[in-house]
């Protein structure tokens, strides 16, 4: 074993450095069918009023409020998509259906349940206020109104409003293409029976899921052996088409740890060790043509925690997200969180609601090989380095992964 040549960098400093060096990807136009989960690249501004015409909210009669209480002659009908082209003049009304255009001259709609009908006339109750029961032109949007801000993720409502304002395509940031590689002579494909000393390549699947959840388009390279030339062969071809490289394993200081030298030869290593637990050997490099590389530690929990702390925000930056970080909420600790000297620790917790509070319970042994500490965890509690720790009962900010 040799000592690492890389300085130990503060976890927050390293996270800021990663974001600073990560580029925002370019823009493409996608049809609405492909827009789910994508991030808007430009502000969407209303060009026309919405609704574009006064639109009835109910089935009933379009009238002049001044005519309330008088029998009114029914001139015709305005149905959705089939407007009544005449004018409602004093002493007249038009039958109207939900979504129908309120005819010229009318200033109110009265629900069919509230009117009195005779063969040729309709009477609406006295005391009618003008403006009832229809959506006015531009009530939802006026021309020039900001509809959606750049950096917004497009979900059902956002795609709905884009469609309602007539856009068949939206400008979004490109999704990051990520090449994913596991390293280690001990790894075998999941499903094959491991020989003595071998283990299944579980990180590939965990990271594939994490990458996809974060919006990446992943190309799985497979398992690279702990051999410098083979490793290089895996990566060079894949990098031609990727925006980022994510590797697991091979970044600690053992002699078989070849990822750091590989990244050194391909670009510039900016982070080689971090004051973080788990995840001390986390490595970050920039490569040619604005690409970035993340060397995640091999221990399953370390790889996923460093993914959360460094990779996920970077992938979100690439996609143009306004919000890069997980939400943070105050939680009350139900256990004593012991500190680690010199390293910020992200402890995994489950949450439960007690009254108005969220109470955090540890997921048990926080060993970096014990994936069970992360499976089902709702949040990561950040325990500052030093000898203080956080005592049970204290309220701290937690990075929320999911809520109970
Ligand atoms: P390394 O970072 O390569 O020194 O690996 C640290 C620990 O993580 C070792 O016990 C490895 O066997 C384990 N490990 C490395 N890669 C993987 C992987 N892809 N899946 C599961 N465990 C792994
Ligand atoms: Mg290894």
């Amino acid at each position: 074993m040799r000592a690492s040549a890389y300085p130990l960098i503060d976890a927050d400093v390293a996270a800021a450095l990663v974001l600073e060096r990560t580029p925002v990807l370019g823009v493409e136009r996608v049809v609405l069918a492909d827009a789910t989960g994508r991030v808007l690249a430009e502000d969407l501004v209303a060009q026309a009023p919405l609704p574009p015409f006064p639109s009835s909210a109910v089935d009933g009669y379009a009238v002049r409020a001044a005519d309330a209480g008088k029998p009114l002659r029914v001139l015709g009908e305005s149905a959705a998509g089939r407007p009544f082209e005449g004018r409602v003049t004093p002493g007249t009304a038009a039958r109207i259906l939900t979504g129908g255009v309120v005819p010229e001259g009318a200033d109110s709609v009265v629900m069919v349940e509230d009117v009195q009908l005779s063969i040729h006339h309709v009477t609406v109750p006295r005391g009618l206020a003008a403006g009832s029961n229809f959506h006015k032109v531009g009530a939802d949007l006026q021309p020039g109104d900001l509809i959606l801000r750049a950096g917004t993720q497009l979900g059902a409502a956002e795609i709905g409003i884009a469609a309602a304002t007539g856009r068949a395509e939206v400008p979004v940031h490109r999704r990051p293409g990520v090449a994913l590689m596991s390293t280690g002579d001990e790894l075998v494909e999941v499903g094959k029976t491991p020989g003595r000393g071998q283990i299944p390549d579980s990180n590939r699947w965990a990271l594939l899921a994490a990458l996809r959840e974060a919006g990446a388009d992943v190309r799985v390279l497979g398992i690279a052996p702990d051999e410098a030339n083979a490793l290089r062969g895996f990566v060079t071809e894949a990098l031609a088409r990727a925006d980022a490289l994510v590797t697991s394993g091979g970044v600690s200081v053992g002699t078989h740890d070849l990822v750091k030298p590989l990244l050194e030869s391909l670009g510039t290593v900016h982070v080689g060790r971090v004051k973080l637990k788990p995840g001390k050997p986390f490595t970050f490099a920039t490569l040619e043509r604005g690409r970035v590389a993340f060397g995640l530690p091999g221990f399953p929990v370390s790889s996923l925690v460093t993914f959360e702390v460094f990779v996920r925000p970077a992938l979100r930056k690439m996609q143009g997200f306004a919000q890069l970080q997980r939400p943070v909420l105050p939680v009350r600790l139900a256990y004593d969180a012991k500190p680690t000297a010199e390293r910020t620790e992200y402890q995994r917790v489950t949450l439960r609601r007690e009254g108005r509070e969220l109470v955090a319970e540890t997921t048990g042994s926080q060993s970096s090989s014990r994936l069970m500490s992360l499976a089902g965890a709702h949040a990561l509690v950040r325990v500052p380095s030093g000898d203080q720790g956080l005592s049970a009962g204290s309220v701290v900010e937690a990075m929320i992964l999911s809520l109970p």
Side-chain angles (χ1 to χ4, degrees):
M1 299 288 263
R2 59 198 152 78
S4 172
Y6 295 94
L8 259 169
I9 301 179
D10 174 82
D12 289 341
V13 172
L17 216 149
V18 167
L19 283 181
E20 200 179 293
R21 300 273 178 178
T22 299
V24 178
L25 299 178
V27 177
E28 62 188 6
R29 298 187 72 81
V30 295
V31 295
L32 294 184
D34 297 333
T36 312
R38 304 296 295 270
V39 183
L40 199 61
E42 295 163 17
D43 287 350
L44 228 63
V45 175
Q47 272 141 19
L50 190 72
F53 54 83
S55 163
S56 183
V58 296
D59 292 339
Y61 287 83
V63 301
R64 295 152 29 89
D67 283 349
K70 302 175 200 161
L72 306 172
R73 192 158 54 85
V74 179
L75 300 175
E77 182 184 88
S78 185
R82 278 179 280 140
F84 172 67
E85 298 298 357
R87 190 179 168 84
V88 171
T89 49
T92 67
R95 206 172 118 71
I96 194 162
L97 301 172
T98 305
V101 181
V102 177
E104 292 285 329
D107 59 16
S108 303
V109 174
V110 181
M111 285 168 78
V112 69
E113 292 88 332
D114 296 339
V115 306
Q116 273 188 330
L117 283 173
S118 63
I119 295 179
H120 295 297
H121 291 86
V122 63
T123 309
V124 305
R126 282 174 205 287
L128 176 63
S132 309
N133 292 325
F134 70 94
H135 304 293
K136 292 161 198 74
V137 173
D140 294 350
L141 286 173
Q142 295 283 350
D145 279 358
L146 179 64
I147 302 175
L148 295 171
R149 217 175 265 292
T152 305
Q153 187 172 34
L154 299 172
E158 293 75 21
I159 290 171
I161 189 75
T165 55
R167 287 164 176 87
E169 292 182 348
V170 281
V172 295
H173 288 280
R174 242 178 3 88
R175 293 170 64 203
V178 176
L180 173 64
M181 177 176 74
S182 306
T183 73
D185 286 338
E186 75 281 29
L187 302 177
V188 292
E189 297 285 340
V190 175
K192 288 209 177 119
T193 309
R196 184 167 159 76
Q198 293 185 317
I199 56 168
D201 173 15
S202 66
N203 287 353
R204 176 203 309 188
W205 300 102
L207 290 170
L208 177 61
L211 285 162
R212 283 186 173 159
E213 267 177 40
D217 185 9
V218 187
R219 173 141 175 255
V220 175
L221 304 183
I223 303 168
D226 289 321
E227 200 274 303
N229 285 329
L231 214 59
R232 171 174 281 278
F234 261 74
V235 168
T236 20
E237 185 254 345
L239 268 180
R241 277 175 290 156
D243 300 297
L245 171 69
V246 172
T247 66
S248 87
V251 283
S252 48
V253 288
T255 43
H256 294 295
D257 296 315
L258 304 164
V259 171
K260 282 185 172 93
L262 172 73
L263 296 180
E264 287 283 10
S265 73
L266 293 171
T268 309
V269 172
H270 301 279
V271 178
R273 286 194 309 158
V274 188
K275 292 180 186 173
L276 178 66
K277 184 183 177 180
K280 186 174 168 187
F282 169 78
T283 300
F284 171 72
T286 49
L287 313 177
E288 281 174 357
R289 290 190 279 121
R291 290 160 308 162
V292 288
F294 301 91
L296 308 186
F299 280 116
V301 180
S302 313
S303 69
L304 286 179
V305 170
T306 51
F307 181 91
E308 276 298 328
V309 175
F310 302 112
V311 185
R312 186 176 180 277
L315 291 172
R316 288 173 72 84
K317 179 174 178 192
M318 287 179 159
Q319 292 167 86
F321 271 97
Q323 176 65 39
L324 302 185
Q325 307 297 339
R326 293 271 190 195
V328 165
L329 288 175
V331 303
R332 187 175 294 282
L333 290 185
Y335 71 104
D336 281 323
K338 299 270 184 304
T340 304
E342 307 286 313
R343 285 198 280 166
T344 304
E345 182 170 359
Y346 281 90
Q347 296 189 354
R348 284 78 70 196
V349 297
T350 56
L351 299 176
R352 63 173 187 271
R353 289 170 199 269
E354 269 182 24
R356 305 178 69 114
E357 281 188 333
L358 287 169
V359 174
E361 189 59 77
T362 175
T363 54
S365 161
Q366 300 287 299
S367 159
S368 56
S369 61
R370 186 175 166 265
L371 256 189
M372 290 302 287
S373 71
L374 196 50
H378 294 118
L380 302 179
V381 164
R382 190 188 150 101
V383 184
S385 63
D387 46 22
Q388 296 284 303
L390 303 167
S391 45
S394 54
V395 174
V396 297
E397 304 260 271
M399 190 202 276
I400 305 296
L401 305 174
S402 65
L403 283 172

